[in-house]
Amino acid sequence: RRGYCSFLVQHDAKAKKSTLACLPLSDLPLTGKNENIVWKYGPSIWFFFGRNPKISAANTKNEDLQGRPEHTDSVSHDGTWHYQLSGRKIWYIRPT
């Protein structure tokens, strides 16, 4: 089977703290002049996960798994960062 999903950890300080402690890293590994950046996480942690076997009964042509249609996120902060555990994802980023 193929597909992707997402969920948020939010509205529960204990769950957020526990989740942050389980992540493979809690800060971006920056070096040089950015070493003094203080990280402040917003009220939620957003997880995305998917499954797209290379060749399977559901993916006989080895097609990429399509994500959401092109969209513009409303970001009222300094930005987001993403950590990918495996596989690959192609991002198309452009100003809107």
Side-chain angles (χ1 to χ4, degrees):
R1 296 185 178 200
R2 311 169 65 212
Y4 79 100
C5 189
S6 67
F7 66 91
L8 294 164
V9 175
Q10 63 180 357
H11 304 305
D12 185 329
K14 185 177 178 182
K16 180 182 172 189
K17 183 177 181 180
S18 175
T19 301
L20 286 172
C22 293
L23 295 177
L25 59 127
S26 59
D27 296 319
L28 290 176
L30 300 175
T31 59
K33 63 183 176 182
N34 295 319
E35 289 178 353
N36 296 322
I37 292 176
V38 176
W39 295 100
K40 294 181 183 177
Y41 291 95
S44 60
I45 304 168
W46 202 325
F47 288 86
F48 293 90
F49 58 94
R51 183 172 189 267
N52 189 31
K54 294 261 186 215
I55 297 290
S56 68
N59 189 13
T60 58
K61 297 179 183 175
N62 196 22
E63 298 171 322
D64 290 338
L65 182 64
Q66 297 300 309
R68 288 185 55 200
E70 185 175 336
H71 63 283
T72 300
D73 289 328
S74 176
V75 178
S76 59
H77 48 73
D78 292 336
T80 64
W81 63 277
H82 303 256
Y83 185 86
Q84 185 155 336
L85 296 175
S86 66
R88 68 184 184 106
K89 177 173 176 55
I90 299 172
W91 291 80
Y92 298 100
I93 302 173
R94 63 181 174 86
T96 56

